[in-house]
Amino acid sequence: MGLLNKLDSVDGFDSGNIVLTSVESLLNWGRLSSIWQMSFGLACCAIEFMAANASNFDMGRFGVIPRPSPRTSDVIIISGTVTLKMASRIKRLYEQMPDPKYVISMGSCANCGGPYWEHGYHVLKGVDRVIPVDVYIPGCPPRPEALLEGLIRLRDKIRHQTMVKHTA
Amino acid sequence: MSTANAPVSIEEIHADLQSKFSDMIGELRREPAATGTPYIVVAAEWIRDVCLYLRDEPRLLMNKLDLLSCVDFRQINGQEYAGQLGVVYHLSSLRQDGNDWRTIHRCALRVYTPVEDPRVPSVSRVWRHADWHEREGYDMFGIRFEGHPDLRRILLPDDWQGHPLRKDYEVPEYYNGMRVPY
């Protein structure tokens, strides 16, 4: 939305007291710049997820802060194999998150069952069977760059959310 | 110290067990014959006593259970093991030698139990860490380890039906409203 481009620039606003924007883009901008994630990892994808949080990839620069509770989280990253035993727990965690809430499905297992698709009697074949997913990240496991890409896709999605009913 | 830590071969252990437990001890086998790990077949109802003897006999001192695993033998070797599940015990003797700990000798035991009513005495009082191994065996194969202090499922949910590593296990269509097949 370019607000920050006005900072210290020659083409800044003339009067210091006025900022022009729409409520919608202000809300979306605030929301997409502080996507608080739930501290939640499941399997080997969680290792890449931790790497993305650590200093080399530094997911924190996008305003992603790990939260210890679902009640203060905006996004849950399903990083790994979802067993049937875990699926009901994930559903409960998701239901405890306040709206608006987002889900990133990370890696083949969370997307579709991954290597367990055929003989995994204990694996849920895709987390979208229990909770709605916003962004799917392919890979087994996806590299941290891929997770950052998924996060940026989620930011794009939030940026274009609207309160107005679309009419044809 | 060096004489006390002398290794005992599996043939000697087998002969020792046969003299002590007579016909409760089966043959010493290798599969495949040339290269496989040798194992001693034991009558299932005697496994706890045999293990206790192996642990406490001063020459043997099998103080460590490396692994307790269960196998569905029904489709592995044809008719030979028809209708049988099995439990395999890998034991080793870990002793202090100066400042080091060394494995002196190893042996493997095997018991068979019918698939209709699989019951094997628990060795969790012999080696405490057999506890969770046996719970896993119960979870995956439905073998009842008699005398186990807390024989519950360890990996799968408590309300799971069936024992999934049995060869005739059928994957359920639904579990708690969630579709299981792809």
Side-chain angles (χ1 to χ4, degrees), chain A residues 49-81:
Chain A
F49 168 58
M50 286 180 248
N53 270 295
S55 49
N56 273 7
F57 296 96
D58 190 19
M59 213 150 70
R61 66 194 144 122
F62 298 109
V64 177
I65 302 173
R67 299 298 300 173
S69 160
R71 299 185 192 282
T72 55
S73 311
D74 301 308
V75 62
I76 179 169
I77 300 177
I78 309 294
S79 53
T81 315

Side-chain angles (χ1 to χ4, degrees), chain A residues 84-85 87 112 117 120-125 129-130, chain B residues 140 155-157 160 164 171 175 178-182:
Chain A
L84 292 166
K85 194 175 180 178
C112 63
W117 72 275
Y121 59 88
H122 61 304
V123 175
L124 187 71
K125 312 299 186 299
R129 291 189 181 185
V130 288
Chain B
M140 296 295 160
L155 296 169
L156 289 165
W160 193 268
V171 176
Y175 169 72
M178 293 175 281
R179 196 174 140 71
V180 179
Y182 183 71

Side-chain angles (χ1 to χ4, degrees), chain A residues 96-153:
Chain A
Q96 285 177 344
M97 289 165 63
D99 279 318
K101 51 193 172 183
Y102 306 96
V103 177
I104 295 179
S105 165
M106 179 183 180
S108 298
C109 290
N111 291 345
C112 63
Y116 310 101
W117 72 275
E118 190 174 13
H119 299 296
Y121 59 88
H122 61 304
V123 175
L124 187 71
K125 312 299 186 299
V127 73
D128 50 6
R129 291 189 181 185
V130 288
I131 56 176
V133 175
D134 295 287
V135 178
Y136 296 87
I137 304 171
C140 187
R143 283 189 53 84
E145 293 95 323
L147 180 55
L148 294 183
E149 165 82 19
L151 185 72
I152 288 165
R153 292 294 172 96

